[in-house]
Coordinates of all heavy atoms in Angstrom, one line a residue:
M1 N -148.8 -184.4 -228.2 CA -148.7 -183.6 -226.9 C -147.5 -182.7 -226.9 O -146.9 -182.5 -225.9 CB -148.6 -184.6 -225.8 CG -149.4 -185.9 -225.9 SD -151.1 -185.7 -226.2 CE -151.6 -187.1 -227.2
G2 N -147.1 -182.3 -228.1 CA -146.0 -181.4 -228.1 C -146.4 -180.1 -227.6 O -147.3 -179.4 -228.1
R3 N -145.7 -179.6 -226.7 CA -146.0 -178.3 -226.1 C -145.2 -177.3 -226.9 O -144.0 -177.3 -227.0 CB -145.5 -178.2 -224.7 CG -146.6 -177.9 -223.8 CD -146.1 -178.1 -222.4 NE -146.6 -177.1 -221.5 CZ -146.0 -176.8 -220.4 NH1 -144.9 -177.4 -220.0 NH2 -146.5 -175.9 -219.5
R4 N -145.9 -176.5 -227.5 CA -145.3 -175.5 -228.4 C -145.0 -174.2 -227.6 O -146.0 -173.7 -227.0 CB -146.1 -175.1 -229.5 CG -145.7 -175.9 -230.8 CD -146.4 -175.3 -231.9 NE -145.8 -175.7 -233.2 CZ -146.3 -175.2 -234.3 NH1 -147.2 -174.3 -234.3 NH2 -145.8 -175.6 -235.5
S5 N -143.9 -173.8 -227.5 CA -143.6 -172.6 -226.8 C -143.3 -171.5 -227.9 O -142.4 -171.7 -228.7 CB -142.4 -172.7 -225.9 OG -141.2 -173.0 -226.5
R6 N -144.0 -170.5 -227.7 CA -143.8 -169.4 -228.7 C -142.5 -168.7 -228.3 O -142.2 -168.5 -227.2 CB -144.9 -168.4 -228.5 CG -146.0 -168.6 -229.5 CD -146.8 -167.3 -229.5 NE -148.0 -167.5 -230.4 CZ -148.9 -166.5 -230.5 NH1 -148.8 -165.4 -229.8 NH2 -149.9 -166.6 -231.2
K7 N -141.9 -168.4 -229.3 CA -140.7 -167.6 -229.1 C -141.0 -166.2 -228.7 O -141.8 -165.5 -229.4 CB -139.8 -167.5 -230.4 CG -138.8 -168.7 -230.4 CD -137.8 -168.4 -231.5 CE -136.8 -169.6 -231.6 NZ -136.0 -169.5 -232.8
R8 N -140.5 -165.8 -227.6 CA -140.7 -164.5 -227.1 C -139.5 -163.6 -227.4 O -138.4 -164.0 -227.1 CB -141.0 -164.5 -225.6 CG -142.4 -164.7 -225.3 CD -142.6 -164.4 -223.9 NE -143.7 -165.1 -223.3 CZ -144.0 -165.2 -222.0 NH1 -143.2 -164.6 -221.2 NH2 -144.9 -166.0 -221.5
Y9 N -139.8 -162.5 -227.9 CA -138.8 -161.5 -228.1 C -138.9 -160.5 -227.1 O -139.9 -159.7 -227.0 CB -138.9 -160.9 -229.5 CG -138.6 -161.9 -230.6 CD1 -139.6 -162.6 -231.2 CD2 -137.2 -162.3 -230.9 CE1 -139.3 -163.6 -232.2 CE2 -136.9 -163.2 -231.9 CZ -138.0 -163.9 -232.5 OH -137.7 -164.8 -233.5
K10 N -137.9 -160.5 -226.3 CA -137.9 -159.5 -225.2 C -137.5 -158.1 -225.8 O -136.4 -157.9 -226.3 CB -136.9 -159.9 -224.1 CG -137.6 -160.7 -223.0 CD -136.7 -160.8 -221.8 CE -137.2 -161.6 -220.7 NZ -136.3 -161.9 -219.7
K11 N -138.4 -157.2 -225.6 CA -138.1 -155.9 -226.1 C -137.8 -155.0 -224.8 O -138.7 -154.9 -224.0 CB -139.2 -155.3 -226.8 CG -139.0 -155.3 -228.3 CD -140.0 -154.4 -228.9 CE -139.9 -154.4 -230.5 NZ -140.9 -153.7 -231.1
V12 N -136.6 -154.6 -224.7 CA -136.3 -153.8 -223.5 C -136.1 -152.3 -224.0 O -135.1 -152.0 -224.6 CB -135.0 -154.3 -222.8 CG1 -134.7 -153.4 -221.6 CG2 -135.1 -155.7 -222.5
V13 N -137.1 -151.6 -223.9 CA -137.1 -150.2 -224.3 C -137.2 -149.4 -223.0 O -138.1 -149.4 -222.3 CB -138.2 -149.9 -225.2 CG1 -138.1 -148.4 -225.7 CG2 -138.3 -150.9 -226.4
Q14 N -136.1 -148.7 -222.8 CA -136.1 -147.8 -221.6 C -136.3 -146.4 -222.0 O -135.4 -145.8 -222.6 CB -134.8 -148.0 -220.9 CG -134.8 -149.3 -220.1 CD -133.6 -149.4 -219.3 OE1 -132.5 -148.9 -219.6 NE2 -133.7 -150.0 -218.0
V15 N -137.4 -145.9 -221.7 CA -137.7 -144.5 -222.0 C -138.0 -143.8 -220.7 O -139.1 -143.4 -220.4 CB -138.9 -144.3 -222.9 CG1 -138.9 -142.9 -223.5 CG2 -138.8 -145.3 -224.1
V16 N -137.0 -143.8 -219.9 CA -137.1 -143.2 -218.5 C -136.4 -141.9 -218.6 O -135.2 -141.9 -218.8 CB -136.5 -144.2 -217.4 CG1 -136.8 -143.5 -216.1 CG2 -137.1 -145.5 -217.5
R17 N -137.1 -140.9 -218.3 CA -136.5 -139.6 -218.3 C -136.0 -139.2 -217.0 O -136.7 -138.8 -216.1 CB -137.5 -138.6 -218.8 CG -137.5 -138.5 -220.3 CD -138.1 -137.2 -220.7 NE -138.2 -137.2 -222.2 CZ -137.9 -136.1 -222.9 NH1 -137.5 -135.0 -222.3 NH2 -138.0 -136.1 -224.2
K18 N -134.7 -139.4 -216.8 CA -134.1 -138.9 -215.5 C -132.7 -138.6 -215.8 O -132.1 -139.2 -216.8 CB -134.3 -139.9 -214.4 CG -133.7 -141.3 -214.7 CD -134.0 -142.2 -213.5 CE -133.5 -143.7 -213.8 NZ -133.7 -144.5 -212.7
P19 N -132.1 -137.8 -215.1 CA -130.7 -137.4 -215.4 C -129.8 -138.7 -215.3 O -130.0 -139.5 -214.4 CB -130.3 -136.4 -214.2 CG -131.4 -136.6 -213.2 CD -132.6 -137.0 -214.0
P20 N -128.9 -138.8 -216.2 CA -128.0 -140.0 -216.2 C -127.0 -140.0 -215.0 O -126.1 -139.2 -215.0 CB -127.3 -139.9 -217.5 CG -127.3 -138.5 -217.9 CD -128.6 -137.9 -217.2
T21 N -127.3 -140.8 -214.1 CA -126.3 -140.9 -213.0 C -125.6 -142.3 -213.0 O -124.8 -142.5 -212.1 CB -127.0 -140.7 -211.6 OG1 -128.2 -141.6 -211.6 CG2 -127.5 -139.3 -211.5
R22 N -126.0 -143.1 -213.9 CA -125.2 -144.4 -214.1 C -124.4 -144.3 -215.4 O -124.9 -144.0 -216.4 CB -126.2 -145.5 -214.2 CG -127.0 -145.7 -213.0 CD -126.2 -146.6 -212.0 NE -126.8 -146.4 -210.7 CZ -126.4 -147.2 -209.7 NH1 -125.5 -148.1 -209.8 NH2 -126.9 -147.0 -208.5
F23 N -123.2 -144.7 -215.2 CA -122.2 -144.6 -216.3 C -121.5 -145.9 -216.4 O -121.5 -146.7 -215.5 CB -121.3 -143.4 -216.1 CG -121.9 -142.1 -216.0 CD1 -122.3 -141.6 -214.7 CD2 -122.2 -141.3 -217.1 CE1 -122.9 -140.4 -214.6 CE2 -122.9 -140.2 -217.0 CZ -123.3 -139.7 -215.7
Q24 N -120.8 -146.0 -217.6 CA -120.1 -147.2 -217.8 C -118.7 -147.2 -217.0 O -118.0 -146.2 -217.2 CB -119.8 -147.5 -219.3 CG -119.2 -148.9 -219.6 CD -119.1 -149.1 -221.0 OE1 -118.9 -148.2 -221.8 NE2 -119.1 -150.4 -221.4
C25 N -118.5 -148.2 -216.3 CA -117.3 -148.3 -215.5 C -116.1 -148.6 -216.4 O -116.2 -149.6 -217.1 CB -117.4 -149.3 -214.4 SG -116.0 -149.6 -213.4
P26 N -115.0 -147.8 -216.3 CA -113.9 -148.1 -217.2 C -113.1 -149.4 -216.8 O -112.4 -149.9 -217.6 CB -113.0 -146.9 -217.0 CG -113.4 -146.3 -215.7 CD -114.9 -146.7 -215.5
T27 N -113.4 -149.9 -215.6 CA -112.7 -151.1 -215.2 C -113.5 -152.4 -215.5 O -112.9 -153.3 -216.1 CB -112.4 -151.0 -213.7 OG1 -111.6 -149.9 -213.4 CG2 -111.8 -152.2 -213.2
C28 N -114.7 -152.4 -215.1 CA -115.5 -153.6 -215.3 C -116.4 -153.5 -216.5 O -116.9 -154.6 -217.0 CB -116.3 -154.0 -214.1 SG -117.6 -152.8 -213.7
G29 N -116.6 -152.4 -217.1 CA -117.4 -152.2 -218.3 C -118.9 -152.2 -218.1 O -119.6 -152.2 -219.1
L30 N -119.3 -152.3 -216.9 CA -120.8 -152.3 -216.6 C -121.3 -151.0 -216.3 O -120.6 -150.0 -216.0 CB -121.1 -153.3 -215.4 CG -120.7 -154.7 -215.6 CD1 -121.0 -155.5 -214.3 CD2 -121.4 -155.4 -216.8
M31 N -122.6 -150.8 -216.5 CA -123.2 -149.5 -216.3 C -123.5 -149.4 -214.8 O -124.7 -149.2 -214.4 CB -124.5 -149.4 -217.1 CG -124.3 -149.4 -218.5 SD -123.4 -147.9 -219.2 CE -124.7 -146.7 -219.0
T32 N -122.5 -149.5 -214.0 CA -122.7 -149.5 -212.6 C -122.0 -148.4 -211.9 O -121.9 -148.4 -210.7 CB -122.2 -150.9 -212.0 OG1 -121.0 -151.2 -212.6 CG2 -123.2 -152.0 -212.3
L33 N -121.5 -147.5 -212.7 CA -120.7 -146.4 -212.1 C -121.7 -145.3 -211.7 O -122.4 -144.7 -212.6 CB -119.7 -145.9 -213.1 CG -118.5 -145.2 -212.6 CD1 -117.6 -146.1 -211.8 CD2 -117.7 -144.5 -213.6
S34 N -121.7 -144.9 -210.5 CA -122.5 -143.8 -210.0 C -121.7 -142.6 -209.5 O -120.6 -142.8 -209.0 CB -123.5 -144.2 -209.0 OG -122.8 -144.6 -207.8
I35 N -122.2 -141.5 -209.8 CA -121.4 -140.3 -209.5 C -122.3 -139.4 -208.6 O -123.5 -139.1 -209.0 CB -121.0 -139.5 -210.7 CG1 -120.0 -140.3 -211.5 CG2 -120.5 -138.1 -210.4 CD1 -119.7 -139.8 -212.9
S36 N -121.8 -139.0 -207.5 CA -122.5 -138.0 -206.6 C -121.7 -136.8 -206.4 O -120.5 -137.0 -206.0 CB -123.0 -138.7 -205.4 OG -121.9 -139.1 -204.6
I37 N -122.2 -135.7 -206.6 CA -121.5 -134.5 -206.4 C -121.9 -133.8 -205.1 O -123.0 -133.6 -204.8 CB -121.7 -133.5 -207.6 CG1 -121.4 -134.2 -208.9 CG2 -121.0 -132.2 -207.4 CD1 -121.7 -133.4 -210.1
D38 N -120.9 -133.5 -204.3 CA -121.1 -132.7 -203.1 C -120.8 -131.3 -203.4 O -119.7 -130.8 -203.5 CB -120.2 -133.3 -202.0 CG -120.5 -132.6 -200.6 OD1 -121.1 -131.5 -200.6 OD2 -120.1 -133.2 -199.6
R39 N -121.9 -130.5 -203.6 CA -121.7 -129.1 -204.1 C -121.0 -128.2 -203.0 O -120.4 -127.2 -203.3 CB -123.1 -128.5 -204.4 CG -123.8 -129.3 -205.6 CD -123.1 -129.0 -206.9 NE -123.9 -129.7 -208.0 CZ -123.4 -129.8 -209.2 NH1 -122.3 -129.2 -209.6 NH2 -124.1 -130.4 -210.2
S40 N -121.3 -128.6 -201.8 CA -120.7 -127.7 -200.7 C -119.2 -127.9 -200.7 O -118.5 -127.0 -200.2 CB -121.3 -128.0 -199.4 OG -121.1 -129.4 -199.0
E41 N -118.7 -129.0 -201.1 CA -117.3 -129.3 -201.0 C -116.6 -129.3 -202.3 O -115.4 -129.4 -202.4 CB -117.0 -130.7 -200.4 CG -117.7 -130.9 -199.0 CD -116.8 -130.3 -197.9 OE1 -115.6 -130.0 -198.1 OE2 -117.3 -130.2 -196.8
D42 N -117.4 -129.1 -203.4 CA -116.8 -129.2 -204.8 C -116.1 -130.5 -205.0 O -115.1 -130.5 -205.7 CB -115.9 -128.0 -205.0 CG -116.7 -126.7 -205.1 OD1 -117.9 -126.7 -205.2 OD2 -116.1 -125.7 -204.9
V43 N -116.7 -131.5 -204.5 CA -116.1 -132.8 -204.6 C -117.1 -133.8 -205.2 O -118.3 -133.7 -205.0 CB -115.7 -133.4 -203.2 CG1 -115.4 -134.8 -203.2 CG2 -114.4 -132.6 -202.7
A44 N -116.6 -134.7 -206.1 CA -117.5 -135.7 -206.7 C -116.9 -137.1 -206.3 O -115.8 -137.3 -206.3 CB -117.5 -135.6 -208.2
I45 N -117.9 -137.9 -205.8 CA -117.5 -139.3 -205.5 C -118.0 -140.2 -206.6 O -119.1 -140.2 -207.0 CB -118.2 -139.8 -204.2 CG1 -118.0 -138.7 -203.1 CG2 -117.7 -141.2 -203.8 CD1 -116.6 -138.6 -202.6
I46 N -117.0 -140.9 -207.2 CA -117.3 -141.9 -208.2 C -117.2 -143.3 -207.7 O -116.1 -143.6 -207.1 CB -116.3 -141.7 -209.4 CG1 -116.4 -140.3 -210.0 CG2 -116.6 -142.7 -210.5 CD1 -115.2 -139.5 -210.0
S47 N -118.2 -144.1 -207.8 CA -118.1 -145.4 -207.2 C -118.9 -146.4 -208.1 O -119.9 -146.1 -208.7 CB -118.7 -145.4 -205.8 OG -120.0 -145.1 -205.8
C48 N -118.3 -147.6 -208.2 CA -118.9 -148.7 -208.9 C -119.6 -149.6 -208.0 O -119.1 -150.1 -207.0 CB -117.8 -149.4 -209.7 SG -118.5 -150.8 -210.7
S49 N -120.9 -149.9 -208.4 CA -121.7 -150.7 -207.5 C -121.5 -152.2 -207.8 O -122.1 -153.1 -207.1 CB -123.1 -150.4 -207.5 OG -123.6 -150.6 -208.9
N50 N -120.7 -152.6 -208.8 CA -120.4 -154.0 -209.1 C -119.4 -154.5 -208.0 O -118.4 -154.0 -207.8 CB -119.7 -154.1 -210.5 CG -119.3 -155.5 -210.8 OD1 -119.6 -156.4 -210.0 ND2 -118.6 -155.6 -211.9
Q51 N -119.9 -155.5 -207.3 CA -119.1 -156.0 -206.1 C -117.8 -156.6 -206.5 O -116.9 -156.7 -205.7 CB -120.0 -157.0 -205.3 CG -121.1 -156.4 -204.6 CD -121.9 -157.3 -203.7 OE1 -121.8 -158.5 -203.8 NE2 -122.7 -156.7 -202.8
N52 N -117.8 -157.1 -207.8 CA -116.5 -157.7 -208.2 C -115.5 -156.6 -208.7 O -114.4 -156.9 -209.1 CB -116.8 -158.6 -209.4 CG -117.6 -159.8 -208.9 OD1 -117.4 -160.4 -207.8 ND2 -118.6 -160.2 -209.7
C53 N -116.0 -155.4 -208.6 CA -115.1 -154.3 -209.1 C -114.8 -153.3 -208.0 O -113.7 -153.2 -207.4 CB -115.8 -153.6 -210.3 SG -114.9 -152.2 -210.9
G54 N -115.9 -152.7 -207.5 CA -115.8 -151.8 -206.3 C -114.9 -150.6 -206.5 O -114.3 -150.1 -205.6
L55 N -114.9 -150.1 -207.7 CA -114.0 -149.0 -208.0 C -114.5 -147.8 -207.2 O -115.7 -147.5 -207.1 CB -114.0 -148.6 -209.5 CG -113.3 -147.4 -210.0 CD1 -112.8 -147.7 -211.5 CD2 -114.2 -146.2 -210.0
R56 N -113.6 -147.0 -206.7 CA -113.9 -145.8 -206.0 C -112.9 -144.7 -206.3 O -111.7 -145.0 -206.3 CB -114.0 -146.0 -204.5 CG -115.4 -146.3 -204.0 CD -115.3 -146.3 -202.5 NE -115.5 -145.0 -202.0 CZ -116.7 -144.5 -201.7 NH1 -117.8 -145.2 -201.9 NH2 -116.8 -143.3 -201.2
A57 N -113.4 -143.5 -206.6 CA -112.5 -142.4 -206.8 C -113.1 -141.2 -206.3 O -114.3 -141.0 -206.3 CB -112.1 -142.4 -208.3
T58 N -112.3 -140.2 -206.0 CA -112.8 -138.9 -205.6 C -112.1 -137.8 -206.4 O -110.9 -137.8 -206.7 CB -112.4 -138.6 -204.1 OG1 -112.8 -139.7 -203.3 CG2 -113.1 -137.4 -203.6
L59 N -113.0 -137.0 -207.0 CA -112.5 -135.9 -207.8 C -112.8 -134.6 -207.1 O -113.9 -134.3 -206.8 CB -113.3 -136.0 -209.1 CG -112.6 -135.5 -210.4 CD1 -111.2 -136.2 -210.6 CD2 -113.5 -135.7 -211.6
R60 N -111.7 -133.8 -207.0 CA -111.9 -132.6 -206.3 C -111.9 -131.4 -207.2 O -111.5 -131.5 -208.3 CB -110.8 -132.5 -205.2 CG -110.8 -133.5 -204.2 CD -109.6 -133.4 -203.2 NE -109.6 -134.6 -202.4 CZ -110.4 -134.9 -201.4 NH1 -111.3 -133.9 -201.0 NH2 -110.3 -136.0 -200.7
G61 N -112.4 -130.3 -206.7 CA -112.3 -129.1 -207.5 C -113.3 -129.1 -208.6 O -113.1 -128.7 -209.7
I62 N -114.5 -129.6 -208.3 CA -115.6 -129.7 -209.3 C -116.2 -128.3 -209.5 O -116.7 -127.8 -208.5 CB -116.7 -130.7 -208.9 CG1 -116.0 -132.1 -208.7 CG2 -117.8 -130.8 -209.9 CD1 -115.4 -132.7 -209.9
P63 N -116.2 -127.8 -210.7 CA -116.8 -126.5 -211.0 C -118.3 -126.6 -210.7 O -118.9 -127.7 -210.9 CB -116.6 -126.2 -212.5 CG -115.4 -127.1 -212.8 CD -115.4 -128.3 -211.9
K64 N -118.9 -125.5 -210.3 CA -120.3 -125.5 -210.0 C -121.2 -125.9 -211.1 O -122.3 -126.5 -210.9 CB -120.7 -124.1 -209.5 CG -120.0 -123.6 -208.2 CD -120.5 -124.3 -207.0 CE -119.8 -123.7 -205.8 NZ -119.8 -124.7 -204.7
I65 N -120.8 -125.6 -212.3 CA -121.6 -125.9 -213.5 C -121.6 -127.3 -213.9 O -122.3 -127.8 -214.8 CB -121.2 -125.0 -214.7 CG1 -119.7 -125.2 -215.0 CG2 -121.5 -123.5 -214.4 CD1 -119.3 -124.7 -216.3
Y66 N -120.7 -128.1 -213.3 CA -120.5 -129.5 -213.7 C -121.7 -130.3 -213.3 O -122.2 -130.3 -212.2 CB -119.3 -130.1 -213.1 CG -118.0 -130.0 -214.0 CD1 -117.8 -128.9 -214.7 CD2 -117.2 -131.1 -214.0 CE1 -116.7 -128.9 -215.6 CE2 -116.0 -131.1 -214.9 CZ -115.8 -129.9 -215.6 OH -114.7 -129.9 -216.4
Q67 N -122.1 -131.1 -214.3 CA -123.2 -132.1 -214.1 C -122.4 -133.5 -213.9 O -121.2 -133.6 -214.2 CB -124.1 -132.2 -215.2 CG -124.9 -130.9 -215.5 CD -125.8 -130.5 -214.4 OE1 -126.6 -131.3 -213.9 NE2 -125.8 -129.3 -214.0
E68 N -123.2 -134.5 -213.6 CA -122.6 -135.8 -213.4 C -121.8 -136.3 -214.7 O -120.8 -136.8 -214.6 CB -123.7 -136.9 -213.0 CG -124.1 -136.9 -211.6 CD -125.1 -135.8 -211.3 OE1 -125.5 -135.0 -212.2 OE2 -125.6 -135.7 -210.1
V69 N -122.4 -136.0 -215.8 CA -121.8 -136.4 -217.1 C -120.5 -135.7 -217.3 O -119.6 -136.3 -217.9 CB -122.8 -136.2 -218.2 CG1 -123.1 -134.7 -218.5 CG2 -122.3 -136.9 -219.5
D70 N -120.4 -134.5 -216.9 CA -119.2 -133.7 -217.0 C -118.1 -134.4 -216.1 O -116.9 -134.4 -216.5 CB -119.4 -132.3 -216.7 CG -120.4 -131.6 -217.6 OD1 -120.3 -131.8 -218.8 OD2 -121.3 -131.0 -217.0
V71 N -118.5 -134.7 -214.9 CA -117.6 -135.3 -213.9 C -117.1 -136.6 -214.5 O -115.9 -137.0 -214.4 CB -118.3 -135.5 -212.6 CG1 -117.4 -136.3 -211.6 CG2 -118.7 -134.2 -212.0
Y72 N -118.0 -137.4 -215.1 CA -117.6 -138.6 -215.7 C -116.6 -138.5 -216.8 O -115.6 -139.2 -216.8 CB -118.9 -139.3 -216.3 CG -118.7 -140.6 -217.0 CD1 -118.2 -141.7 -216.3 CD2 -118.9 -140.8 -218.3 CE1 -117.9 -142.9 -216.9 CE2 -118.7 -142.0 -219.0 CZ -118.2 -143.1 -218.3 OH -118.0 -144.3 -218.9
A73 N -116.8 -137.5 -217.6 CA -115.8 -137.2 -218.7 C -114.5 -136.9 -218.2 O -113.5 -137.4 -218.7 CB -116.4 -136.1 -219.6
K74 N -114.5 -136.0 -217.1 CA -113.3 -135.6 -216.5 C -112.6 -136.8 -215.8 O -111.4 -137.0 -215.9 CB -113.5 -134.5 -215.5 CG -112.3 -133.9 -215.0 CD -112.6 -132.6 -214.3 CE -111.3 -131.9 -213.9 NZ -111.5 -130.6 -213.4
F75 N -113.4 -137.6 -215.2 CA -112.9 -138.8 -214.5 C -112.2 -139.8 -215.5 O -111.1 -140.3 -215.3 CB -114.0 -139.5 -213.7 CG -113.7 -140.9 -213.3 CD1 -112.7 -141.2 -212.4 CD2 -114.3 -142.0 -213.9 CE1 -112.3 -142.4 -212.0 CE2 -113.9 -143.3 -213.6 CZ -112.9 -143.5 -212.6
L76 N -112.9 -140.0 -216.6 CA -112.4 -140.9 -217.7 C -111.0 -140.3 -218.2 O -110.1 -141.1 -218.4 CB -113.3 -141.0 -218.8 CG -114.4 -142.0 -218.7 CD1 -115.2 -142.2 -220.1 CD2 -113.9 -143.3 -218.2
D77 N -110.9 -139.0 -218.4 CA -109.7 -138.4 -218.8 C -108.6 -138.8 -217.8 O -107.5 -139.2 -218.2 CB -109.8 -136.9 -218.9 CG -110.4 -136.5 -220.2 OD1 -110.6 -137.3 -221.1 OD2 -110.6 -135.3 -220.4
K78 N -108.8 -138.5 -216.6 CA -107.8 -138.7 -215.6 C -107.5 -140.1 -215.4 O -106.4 -140.5 -215.1 CB -108.3 -138.0 -214.2 CG -108.2 -136.5 -214.2 CD -108.7 -136.0 -212.9 CE -108.4 -134.5 -212.8 NZ -107.0 -134.2 -212.7
F79 N -108.5 -141.0 -215.5 CA -108.3 -142.4 -215.4 C -107.4 -142.9 -216.4 O -106.5 -143.8 -216.2 CB -109.7 -143.1 -215.4 CG -109.6 -144.6 -215.1 CD1 -109.6 -145.1 -213.8 CD2 -109.5 -145.5 -216.2 CE1 -109.5 -146.4 -213.6 CE2 -109.4 -146.9 -215.9 CZ -109.4 -147.3 -214.6
T80 N -107.6 -142.5 -217.7 CA -106.8 -142.9 -218.8 C -105.4 -142.4 -218.6 O -104.4 -143.1 -218.9 CB -107.4 -142.3 -220.1 OG1 -108.8 -142.6 -220.1 CG2 -106.7 -142.9 -221.3
E81 N -105.2 -141.2 -218.1 CA -103.9 -140.6 -217.8 C -103.2 -141.3 -216.7 O -102.0 -141.2 -216.6 CB -104.0 -139.1 -217.5 CG -104.4 -138.2 -218.7 CD -104.6 -136.8 -218.1 OE1 -104.4 -136.5 -217.0 OE2 -105.0 -135.9 -219.0
G82 N -104.1 -141.9 -215.8 CA -103.5 -142.4 -214.6 C -103.2 -141.4 -213.6 O -102.4 -141.5 -212.7
S83 N -103.9 -140.2 -213.7 CA -103.6 -139.1 -212.8 C -104.7 -138.9 -211.7 O -104.9 -137.9 -211.1 CB -103.5 -137.8 -213.6 OG -104.7 -137.5 -214.2
I84 N -105.4 -140.0 -211.5 CA -106.4 -140.0 -210.4 C -106.2 -141.2 -209.5 O -106.0 -142.3 -210.1 CB -107.8 -139.8 -210.9 CG1 -108.8 -139.7 -209.7 CG2 -108.3 -141.1 -211.7 CD1 -110.2 -139.2 -210.1
E85 N -106.4 -141.1 -208.2 CA -106.2 -142.2 -207.4 C -107.5 -143.0 -207.3 O -108.6 -142.4 -207.0 CB -105.9 -141.7 -205.9 CG -105.3 -142.8 -205.1 CD -105.1 -142.4 -203.7 OE1 -104.7 -141.2 -203.5 OE2 -105.3 -143.2 -202.7
V86 N -107.4 -144.3 -207.7 CA -108.6 -145.1 -207.7 C -108.4 -146.3 -206.8 O -107.3 -146.9 -206.8 CB -108.8 -145.6 -209.2 CG1 -110.0 -146.6 -209.2 CG2 -109.0 -144.5 -210.1
T87 N -109.3 -146.6 -206.0 CA -109.2 -147.7 -205.1 C -110.3 -148.8 -205.5 O -111.3 -148.4 -206.0 CB -109.4 -147.3 -203.6 OG1 -110.7 -146.7 -203.5 CG2 -108.3 -146.3 -203.2
Y88 N -110.0 -150.0 -205.1 CA -111.0 -151.0 -205.3 C -111.3 -151.7 -204.0 O -110.4 -152.2 -203.3 CB -110.4 -152.0 -206.4 CG -110.2 -151.4 -207.7 CD1 -108.9 -150.9 -208.0 CD2 -111.2 -151.3 -208.6 CE1 -108.6 -150.4 -209.2 CE2 -110.9 -150.7 -209.8 CZ -109.6 -150.3 -210.2 OH -109.4 -149.7 -211.4
S89 N -112.6 -151.8 -203.8 CA -113.0 -152.6 -202.5 C -113.8 -153.8 -202.9 O -115.0 -153.8 -202.9 CB -113.8 -151.6 -201.7 OG -115.0 -151.1 -202.4
R90 N -113.1 -154.7 -203.4 CA -113.7 -156.0 -203.8 C -114.0 -156.8 -202.6 O -113.2 -156.9 -201.7 CB -112.8 -156.8 -204.7 CG -112.8 -156.1 -206.1 CD -111.7 -156.7 -207.0 NE -111.4 -155.7 -208.0 CZ -110.4 -155.8 -208.9 NH1 -109.6 -156.8 -208.8 NH2 -110.2 -154.9 -209.8
G91 N -115.2 -157.4 -202.6 CA -115.7 -158.1 -201.5 C -114.9 -159.4 -201.1 O -114.5 -159.5 -200.0
S92 N -114.6 -160.2 -202.2 CA -114.0 -161.5 -201.9 C -112.5 -161.4 -201.9 O -111.8 -162.1 -201.2 CB -114.5 -162.5 -202.9 OG -114.3 -162.0 -204.2
E93 N -112.0 -160.6 -202.7 CA -110.5 -160.5 -202.8 C -109.9 -159.4 -201.9 O -110.5 -158.4 -201.7 CB -110.1 -160.2 -204.3 CG -110.3 -161.3 -205.2 CD -110.0 -161.0 -206.6 OE1 -109.5 -159.9 -206.9 OE2 -110.3 -161.8 -207.5
H94 N -108.8 -159.8 -201.4 CA -108.1 -158.8 -200.6 C -106.7 -158.7 -201.2 O -105.9 -159.6 -201.1 CB -108.0 -159.3 -199.2 CG -109.2 -158.8 -198.4 ND1 -109.3 -157.5 -197.9 CD2 -110.3 -159.5 -198.0 CE1 -110.5 -157.4 -197.3 NE2 -111.1 -158.6 -197.3
E95 N -106.5 -157.5 -201.8 CA -105.1 -157.3 -202.4 C -104.4 -156.4 -201.4 O -104.8 -155.3 -201.2 CB -105.3 -156.7 -203.7 CG -105.6 -157.7 -204.8 CD -105.7 -157.1 -206.2 OE1 -104.7 -156.5 -206.6 OE2 -106.8 -157.0 -206.7
V96 N -103.4 -156.9 -200.8 CA -102.6 -156.1 -199.9 C -101.2 -155.9 -200.5 O -100.5 -156.8 -200.8 CB -102.5 -156.8 -198.6 CG1 -101.7 -155.9 -197.6 CG2 -103.8 -157.1 -198.0
E97 N -101.0 -154.6 -200.8 CA -99.8 -154.2 -201.4 C -98.8 -153.7 -200.3 O -99.2 -153.1 -199.3 CB -99.9 -153.2 -202.4 CG -100.5 -153.7 -203.7 CD -100.6 -152.6 -204.8 OE1 -99.7 -151.9 -204.9 OE2 -101.7 -152.6 -205.4
G98 N -97.6 -154.0 -200.5 CA -96.6 -153.5 -199.5 C -95.6 -154.6 -199.3 O -94.7 -154.9 -198.9
Ligands
ZN1 ZN1 -116.7 -151.3 -212.1

């Protein structure tokens, strides 16, 4: 009566053609970083949807030709330099500085 379970190999093949709006978050490392560009303000909002991370940043002066991926590259540069203000809105933790 041995129940044999076949080994299943999950194949996750994603062939979805849509513009990449999800990027790897430099803080939590998940693909939960979303970028939205406000063309009228030349501003891009970068936010991480990982609740344990909650990274948020605003990048101003976005050139019209910039796509999300360009904004992401620029954001990473600034993030590495430490020249962009980044906030974290973690749900459970409250870090109060001052
Ligand atoms: Zn994150």
Side-chain angles (χ1 to χ4, degrees):
M1 325 302 148
R3 238 169 143 201
R4 262 192 166 185
S5 64
R6 263 198 189 176
K7 267 191 183 172
R8 270 197 212 166
Y9 292 98
K10 266 192 186 171
K11 258 192 183 177
V12 183
V13 183
Q14 283 187 323
V15 195
V16 184
R17 274 198 185 225
K18 56 182 179 181
T21 50
R22 293 277 162 172
F23 301 93
Q24 189 176 29
C25 175
T27 298
C28 66
L30 299 178
M31 296 294 287
T32 45
L33 202 72
S34 64
I35 292 170
S36 64
I37 302 173
D38 187 338
R39 298 286 181 192
S40 61
E41 304 277 345
D42 293 342
V43 161
I45 309 293
I46 298 122
S47 63
C48 178
S49 60
N50 177 7
Q51 290 187 344
N52 296 319
C53 175
L55 179 150
R56 265 188 87 87
T58 307
L59 208 57
R60 296 176 192 283
I62 301 299
K64 298 285 183 206
I65 54 162
Y66 264 40
Q67 302 292 314
E68 280 83 356
V69 66
D70 300 310
V71 173
Y72 177 63
K74 190 166 183 168
F75 164 69
L76 275 191
D77 276 356
K78 286 181 170 292
F79 185 84
T80 309
E81 287 175 6
S83 61
I84 185 169
E85 195 184 326
V86 177
T87 60
Y88 298 95
S89 57
R90 287 169 201 174
S92 53
E93 287 177 5
H94 273 282
E95 285 181 60
V96 182
E97 283 181 46

